[in-house]
Amino acid sequence: MKLIKNVLTLSLVVFCTLVTAQEDLYKHRIHSEGKDTLKYRIMYPKDFSETKQYPVVLFLHGAGERGSDNQKQLLHGSKLFANTTNRDSFPAIIVFPQCPKNSYWSNAEIDRSSYPINLVFPKNKKSTKSMQLVMSLMQELTSKNYVNKNKIYVGGLSMGGMGTFEILSRLPDMFAAAFAICGDGNAELTKKYAKKVDMWIFHGAEDNVIDPKGSIKMVSAILNNGGKPNFTLYANANHNSWDLAFAESKLLSWLFSKSKK
């Protein structure tokens, strides 16, 4: 029994050490605009040099990772980019902002009285303060000489999938490619970015939180507006389709192969 306890303790220590090491790769930062602030984490490539140019990936988390600890947003997706092999193969600047608890990336009107939740995406509504700060952060970051302006990417899951569609409609000329996992958005606004941004959209057919028809609607709208998106619908996946999306062996090679049109 004592041996088993010691083994379990050692395993826990090793696990915590690995998690801490990964989180340490993402540096704590705060972006300010007037009196408003946005907490975020940023990971630079190995042997980062301001004399070189790198792609930038913006990742928008889901509603469950909102808060003010500047840590929970790393729960999903951060390991994919921090993986040693991926860091070596795809040197890039990775940005994980954190949305405050009572805010959203998207300006969606959300009704949680039934599931899947009912979502309405107004066409002309002002962006949320959180989205305004993310856009400000990206405009500041992408102005740096060490950023490859032709290789800026965005992706997100759930609430972040909605945010991905929204930021594309608000900054259609910034991004070369995007991936949206179990998201939804305003289909009419896809005309702003359908031909400009390459997309890969993911959803689980059994999603009982965000209706997969939302992604199907967005794919159809992108096609109707001249875009050619990849679309993956996982037959047996529920809301956590991000696990399968992150396991796609070609996701990162696809993403980093894209340049602005």
Side-chain angles (χ1 to χ4, degrees):
M1 180 65 72
K2 185 176 181 180
L3 177 60
I4 294 175
K5 185 180 291 186
N6 288 339
V7 171
L8 291 174
T9 300
L10 179 60
S11 298
L12 180 60
V13 170
V14 171
F15 173 77
C16 291
T17 301
L18 290 173
V19 170
T20 301
Q22 175 214 302
E23 289 186 353
D24 285 346
L25 293 174
Y26 290 91
K27 306 303 180 184
H28 291 258
R29 296 289 187 270
I30 296 178
H31 173 70
S32 298
E33 187 177 66
K35 296 182 179 180
D36 298 310
T37 59
L38 175 75
K39 293 182 178 179
Y40 69 100
R41 293 288 198 103
I42 186 166
M43 181 176 70
Y44 292 95
K46 293 180 179 178
D47 303 317
F48 171 76
S49 171
E50 292 192 4
T51 64
K52 298 180 180 180
Q53 287 195 325
Y54 304 93
V56 172
V57 180
L58 168 67
F59 188 88
L60 301 176
H61 64 76
E65 292 76 65
R66 290 176 297 175
S68 58
D69 64 351
N70 205 6
Q71 181 173 342
K72 283 194 294 186
Q73 75 266 36
L74 297 178
L75 181 62
H76 303 297
S78 63
K79 292 180 182 178
L80 175 68
F81 297 103
N83 175 281
T84 300
T85 300
N86 290 338
R87 288 192 78 201
D88 290 339
S89 300
F90 309 107
I93 299 167
I94 314 297
V95 184
F96 273 72
Q98 185 175 36
C99 184
K101 187 66 176 177
N102 296 317
S103 185
Y104 293 92
W105 298 129
S106 174
N107 60 15
E109 297 171 3
I110 303 174
D111 179 4
R112 298 180 182 275
S113 61
S114 62
Y115 282 81
I117 60 178
N118 185 54
L119 296 162
V120 176
F121 297 89
K123 180 181 177 182
N124 298 313
K125 192 173 180 180
K126 185 179 179 180
S127 61
T128 66
K129 178 58 66 177
S130 296
M131 176 55 74
Q132 290 174 31
L133 287 167
V134 167
M135 292 191 293
S136 171
L137 168 63
M138 289 301 292
Q139 288 165 336
E140 178 183 291
L141 179 60
T142 57
S143 70
K144 305 297 185 183
N145 290 332
Y146 52 77
V147 168
N148 185 334
K149 312 301 190 290
N150 292 318
K151 298 179 80 66
I152 312 298
Y153 312 114
V154 61
L157 60 87
S158 194
M159 181 186 80
M162 302 177 208
T164 296
F165 288 123
E166 177 153 334
I167 198 170
L168 290 177
S169 71
R170 295 186 184 278
L171 297 175
D173 296 315
M174 176 175 283
F175 302 98
F179 60 93
I181 307 170
C182 56
D184 198 350
N186 186 305
E188 186 176 349
L189 295 178
T190 60
K191 62 186 177 184
K192 293 186 176 184
Y193 57 87
K195 292 182 179 180
K196 296 180 178 181
V197 183
D198 289 309
M199 292 206 68
W200 194 342
I201 296 167
F202 303 87
H203 219 120
E206 295 187 353
D207 195 328
N208 61 0
V209 178
I210 298 180
D211 197 322
K213 295 186 184 71
S215 283
I216 294 171
K217 171 195 70 180
M218 297 302 286
V219 169
S220 296
I222 292 169
L223 287 168
N224 289 336
N225 284 301
K228 297 178 181 179
N230 290 334
F231 180 42
T232 302
L233 183 67
Y234 299 109
N236 300 312
N238 203 306
H239 190 51
N240 65 331
S241 54
W242 53 80
D243 290 334
L244 292 170
F246 293 148
E248 292 282 353
S249 61
K250 295 183 179 179
L251 175 58
L252 293 190
S253 59
W254 169 85
L255 185 70
F256 288 105
S257 72
K258 303 301 180 180
S259 294
K260 279 176 63 174
K261 298 177 180 179

